[in-house]
Amino acid sequence: MNVQIAKKALADALQNVERIIPNRSSNPGTNLLRLDLENDAIRLSGTNLELDIEATLAADVSGTGSIAVPASVFAQVVRALPGDDVAMTVEDSELSVAGGDFATRLQLVDPSNAPTLSFPDQYSGSLPAGTLGSALAQVRYAAAVAEYQAVFRGVKLELSDSGARAIATDGFRLAYADIEQPSGLQGNVIIPARTVDEITKVLNSGAVEIALDGAQLSLKTDHTRINAKLMDGTFPDYQRVIPEAFPVTIRLDAETLREAVTRVAVMADKTANNRVDLFIKDGTMQITAEGAYGRSQEAIQVEQQGTDPEIALAYNAKYLTDALGPLDEQLQVSFSGATSPSVLTDPNDATYLAMVVPLRTG
């Protein structure tokens, strides 16, 4: 079997698949990359038992069949090749890989040792790939990282005929992002946050087809298929914790606040929740931070409304700037109290909402 393929196309597809394959595993074969060769295409596939990925590439192939190689070694060889094209030849139990004036041989592994992946025949729903990827990426920061936090370590995806919503929370912050386009599906799933990281790297342009099957979410784009194992458990009723009454509301440019908090937080005490203090009064927001190396402050003008003339709060600076990440124009911050959640939105776009709980200062 002989294969001729563009190096960039192979390296790009290989990166998405090889990244999820463990270098070492107690499960035999999961460190292998499987290559299925057809007359005009090559399919790369791998799994970590939580996530399956298969990428299909157009290639000049003579002969058909399946081979398997150690994923990390093959990826290193391909990335190191000179030239613009890759030539691969299967000879007995070896795979010859050449590019430019360089060539090497890899010992093949019996392809029956590599997991054989199975993907759905039918996909009942679909969404724009870039839109779904963006929604998942916008909220992923709010997912928990501690093992004991169970479903908080995932991103909930609500699918309905009218659209979709991605939600994440760790109990101290919350974010959701809406997709205002019909998905063709009805269902709620919880995707592990680490799986979301890989899915968002693949969802770029075009449409993504979606299938739900028990404990698995399957996605299909023009060149990639994914199976994602879902999390068990009940996601909290996040709507119930979002405040509805706000005695103080301000409006300003999102980038202005993000840059100011970032500057002031340089002096924040990293051992004390990276704390920054905000004091809003008469249309001025005073931002301050103090730590072992000194104190910093900055004042910015805001459009202030509400029944209370002033409010003082403290936040973890990273939590605040993370929430501001998806907002790049007009920003509205609604304060429900000094110790109760604050809500950040774009007043002209209701598809994204972030909630941050202030630090207790007493």
Side-chain angles (χ1 to χ4, degrees):
M1 291 183 287
N2 298 298
V3 179
Q4 295 283 339
I5 190 169
K7 176 188 170 182
K8 186 179 187 309
L10 177 60
D12 289 348
L14 183 57
Q15 183 179 31
N16 289 330
V17 179
E18 181 259 341
R19 187 172 48 235
I20 71 160
I21 299 175
N23 288 330
R24 296 179 181 178
S25 174
S26 58
N27 295 287
T30 54
N31 67 326
L32 297 176
L33 174 75
R34 182 184 177 97
L35 293 85
D36 294 299
L37 309 178
E38 301 173 353
N39 289 329
D40 57 357
I42 178 172
R43 293 199 309 273
L44 314 175
S45 61
T47 182
N48 59 16
L49 303 184
E50 297 289 329
L51 182 66
D52 307 335
I53 297 185
E54 177 193 84
T56 301
L57 301 169
D60 183 3
V61 182
S62 63
T64 61
S66 300
I67 59 175
V69 292
S72 61
V73 176
F74 181 70
Q76 290 178 60
V77 168
V78 170
R79 287 193 289 266
L81 289 174
D84 296 328
D85 297 301
V86 179
M88 294 186 286
T89 303
V90 178
E91 298 175 346
D92 297 325
S93 61
E94 291 185 326
L95 174 66
S96 172
V97 184
D101 296 324
F102 174 83
T104 190
R105 289 179 177 270
L106 295 177
Q107 200 71 29
L108 291 174
V109 181
D110 186 340
S112 66
N113 292 332
T116 302
L117 306 183
S118 176
F119 297 91
D121 294 324
Q122 294 184 331
Y123 294 78
S124 303
S126 68
L127 284 168
T131 305
L132 176 58
S134 176
L136 292 170
Q138 284 178 341
V139 305
R140 191 267 181 255
Y141 72 85
V145 295
E147 291 292 328
Y148 69 86
Q149 289 185 281
V151 294
F152 287 95
R153 294 184 294 112
V155 173
K156 183 181 183 183
L157 182 62
E158 298 177 344
L159 296 164
S160 68
D161 291 333
S162 60
R165 171 177 285 183
I167 313 103
T169 180
D170 61 3
F172 300 100
R173 51 188 175 169
L174 178 149
Y176 70 64
D178 288 334
I179 301 172
E180 297 178 326
Q181 291 168 280
S183 68
L185 287 171
Q186 292 278 356
N188 298 328
V189 299
I190 306 174
I191 311 169
R194 287 179 295 185
T195 297
V196 168
D197 292 337
E198 301 304 327
I199 289 175
T200 55
K201 293 182 176 73
V202 174
L203 299 180
N204 298 313
S205 59
V208 56
E209 297 181 69
I210 307 169
L212 295 177
D213 181 15
Q216 179 175 285
L217 169 72
S218 297
L219 305 172
K220 179 184 178 183
T221 67
D222 287 343
H223 305 293
T224 307
R225 294 193 290 182
I226 295 173
N227 291 328
K229 185 177 180 180
L230 300 171
M231 300 179 71
D232 292 326
T234 302
F235 203 79
D237 183 2
Y238 65 93
Q239 293 277 23
R240 186 172 56 84
V241 301
I242 300 174
E244 296 181 354
F246 304 101
V248 179
T249 298
I250 62 171
R251 289 190 179 187
L252 70 161
D253 179 72
E255 186 66 19
T256 298
L257 180 58
R258 181 165 44 245
E259 291 179 350
V261 171
T262 301
R263 283 190 293 266
V264 172
V266 171
M267 288 298 174
D269 188 343
K270 305 302 183 287
T271 64
N273 289 312
N274 201 28
R275 172 177 166 174
V276 294
D277 289 85
L278 275 62
F279 178 65
I280 300 103
K281 182 179 181 181
D282 298 332
T284 299
M285 174 189 287
Q286 189 78 27
I287 308 171
T288 60
E290 188 169 356
Y293 298 104
R295 186 174 187 274
S296 57
Q297 64 181 34
E298 183 168 344
I300 56 179
Q301 299 303 304
V302 300
E303 179 186 332
Q304 181 178 342
Q305 296 178 335
T307 57
D308 290 359
E310 62 183 52
I311 190 168
L313 316 89
Y315 296 97
N316 180 310
K318 185 177 187 307
Y319 285 9
L320 192 55
T321 54
D322 281 349
L324 289 165
L327 296 162
D328 55 11
E329 295 183 1
Q330 187 74 1
L331 165 68
Q332 178 171 296
V333 187
S334 302
F335 303 99
S336 65
T339 58
S340 53
S342 305
V343 173
L344 293 77
T345 58
D346 181 338
N348 302 313
D349 183 357
T351 59
Y352 172 79
L353 177 145
M355 189 183 78
V356 183
V357 179
L359 297 172
R360 293 190 177 273
T361 59

